[in-house]
Amino acid sequence: MYMTAYQYIKNDSFFSGKLVAVADSIVDLDRYEYDCLKEEFPEEYEKLKVYRKNKKYPYLHTYYSYFYTYYSPLLAFLFRGQDIERASAILFFSNIEDLMLRADVEIYDKRYISNKFKYEQYMWGISYGYLFIFDKNATLRKVLRSESQLN
């Protein structure tokens, strides 16, 4: 599912011609309650509401610092050999829970960020958030994208 999400993001027109590197850590990313899911994916919509409630995220889509980040041997293995130095965008993944995966792609700006892989340093610039919904066979069912200006 991580590789499917990565390929989807790489092929997104926003990242055409950009080198996207993947962080080797899992980040606890907010899972928005996308209202557009209510009709087409009501079960997933309810799971997102429960997830946010359990995490005590604010109701509005307010930036909230991550709860944890930890090294993932799986991500390190899947995305080994990346050209990290030349990367202009960094991809952070969440855990896969309830067949849903969140990803944030941060545009790297060396004026503000000293370490590309420290998620908490991305306070300036543009962030693209993705929610991937898979079925039981790990087939991609739906992708939602949001854009945020961080400052």
Side-chain angles (χ1 to χ4, degrees), residues 15 18-22 87-91 105-108 122:
F15 302 106
K18 288 186 171 66
L19 183 59
V20 178
V22 179
S88 55
I90 307 300
L91 172 55
V105 183
E106 310 291 344
I107 305 300
Y108 175 65
Y122 285 90

Side-chain angles (χ1 to χ4, degrees), residues 1 6 12 40 54 68 74 91 97-98 101 112 115 122:
M1 288 186 247
Y6 174 70
D12 192 333
E40 188 178 357
N54 290 341
Y68 63 81
L74 174 62
L91 172 55
E97 297 174 40
D98 297 320
L101 168 63
Y112 302 112
N115 183 334
Y122 285 90

Side-chain angles (χ1 to χ4, degrees), residues 61-64 106-107 109 111-113 119-127 147-151:
H61 300 292
T62 305
Y63 175 76
Y64 203 76
E106 310 291 344
I107 305 300
D109 187 336
R111 294 176 296 171
Y112 302 112
I113 301 160
Y119 184 78
E120 68 272 19
Q121 287 191 10
Y122 285 90
M123 296 173 14
W124 307 96
I126 298 173
S127 173
E147 181 181 334
S148 302
Q149 177 69 42
L150 306 173
N151 57 27

Side-chain angles (χ1 to χ4, degrees), residues 76-140:
F77 174 76
L78 288 175
F79 301 103
R80 67 192 178 280
Q82 302 178 90
D83 189 352
I84 295 166
E85 292 306 313
R86 289 189 3 192
S88 55
I90 307 300
L91 172 55
F92 295 94
F93 281 122
S94 73
N95 272 324
I96 299 169
E97 297 174 40
D98 297 320
L99 298 172
M100 290 183 276
L101 168 63
R102 267 278 285 122
D104 273 2
V105 183
E106 310 291 344
I107 305 300
Y108 175 65
D109 187 336
K110 62 184 171 186
R111 294 176 296 171
Y112 302 112
I113 301 160
S114 60
N115 183 334
K116 289 182 180 185
F117 291 107
K118 285 203 171 194
Y119 184 78
E120 68 272 19
Q121 287 191 10
Y122 285 90
M123 296 173 14
W124 307 96
I126 298 173
S127 173
Y128 297 92
Y130 293 82
L131 176 66
F132 295 89
I133 300 174
F134 296 89
D135 66 15
K136 290 182 224 174
N137 298 320
T139 302
L140 189 57

